[in-house]
């Protein structure tokens, strides 16, 4: 039993390290994603989901939102890390096709997390409504 706990703790530690890295590299990631969006019309429909997923990562890392399966957060993190990694299956510097592999990986990962991302979006909207209501009460 202790071995399972240790494995689980190792996975959580790795995930926390990856989340911290993504949060620290958010600006770089946003620039890279914008570049990929220009090159791939297929990814345009996922732009809002990518932004929402970055918000999810922050809320998860800060402990604000933990109602998400480990596999979901892991799949999204893997997709984003792959996008940031300069070593790809198809190097990014190759015109037109350099971002295809990144687009495919992100598309696949976003499809995997779609339902949980919608659930998070609903939670986020409720939190915003609560904050707005609280702010209005304070200003009265």
């Amino acid at each position: 039993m202790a071995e399972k706990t240790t494995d689980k703790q190792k996975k959580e530690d790795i995930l926390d390290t990856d989340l911290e890295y993504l949060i620290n590299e958010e600006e770089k990631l946003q620039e890279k994603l914008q570049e990929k969006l220009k090159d791939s019309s297929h990814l345009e429909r996922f732009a809002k989901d990518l932004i929402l997923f970055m918000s999810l990562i922050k809320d998860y890392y800060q402990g604000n939102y933990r109602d998400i399966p480990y596999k979901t957060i892991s799949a999204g993190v893997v997709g984003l890390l792959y996008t940031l990694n300069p070593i790809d299956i198809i190097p990014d510097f190759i015109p037109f096709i350099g971002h295809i592999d990144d687009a495919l990986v992100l598309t696949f990962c976003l499809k995997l997390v779609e339902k949980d991302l919608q659930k998070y979006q609903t939670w986020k909207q409720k939190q915003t409504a609560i904050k707005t209501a609280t702010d209005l009460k304070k200003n009265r």
Side-chain angles (χ1 to χ4, degrees):
M1 184 71 174
E3 187 175 314
K4 284 186 180 182
T5 304
T6 304
D7 288 343
K8 182 178 179 183
Q9 186 60 46
K10 284 180 187 178
K11 287 178 184 178
E12 288 175 2
D13 290 345
I14 290 169
L15 179 61
D16 282 346
T17 301
D18 290 343
L19 291 172
E20 186 175 349
Y21 173 76
L22 286 173
I23 290 168
N24 290 333
E25 295 292 320
E26 181 179 10
E27 189 174 310
K28 183 178 176 182
L29 180 62
Q30 293 289 350
E31 289 172 11
K32 199 162 186 183
L33 290 174
Q34 289 302 320
E35 182 181 319
K36 289 178 190 323
L37 288 172
K38 286 183 211 171
D39 294 343
S40 173
S41 59
H42 180 68
L43 268 183
E44 282 180 36
R45 69 186 197 111
F46 294 112
K48 288 181 183 175
D49 288 345
L50 290 169
I51 293 166
L52 185 62
F53 194 78
M54 279 305 298
S55 178
L56 169 62
I57 286 173
K58 287 179 194 174
D59 280 333
Y60 184 87
Y61 183 74
Q62 294 167 352
N64 299 330
Y65 184 79
R66 293 292 176 126
D67 188 21
I68 187 165
Y70 178 81
K71 67 179 177 116
T72 297
I73 197 84
S74 297
V77 167
V78 166
L80 292 172
L81 288 174
Y82 183 84
T83 301
L84 277 174
N85 190 348
I87 302 170
D88 288 4
I89 295 171
I90 303 171
D92 290 345
F93 64 83
I94 298 173
F96 304 111
I97 64 166
H99 298 293
I100 289 175
D101 61 325
D102 296 332
L104 290 173
V105 169
L106 281 174
T107 300
F108 177 73
C109 290
L110 284 171
K111 282 292 188 186
L112 285 176
V113 304
E114 192 171 32
K115 287 181 183 174
D116 290 317
L117 202 54
Q118 288 172 353
K119 186 176 171 185
Y120 168 73
Q121 185 174 24
T122 301
W123 175 85
K124 188 77 169 172
Q125 289 169 341
K126 285 180 184 175
Q127 296 304 306
T128 302
I130 290 169
K131 185 179 183 319
T132 302
T134 303
D135 290 347
L136 287 173
K137 286 181 183 178
K138 285 181 184 178
N139 291 331
R140 285 185 183 173

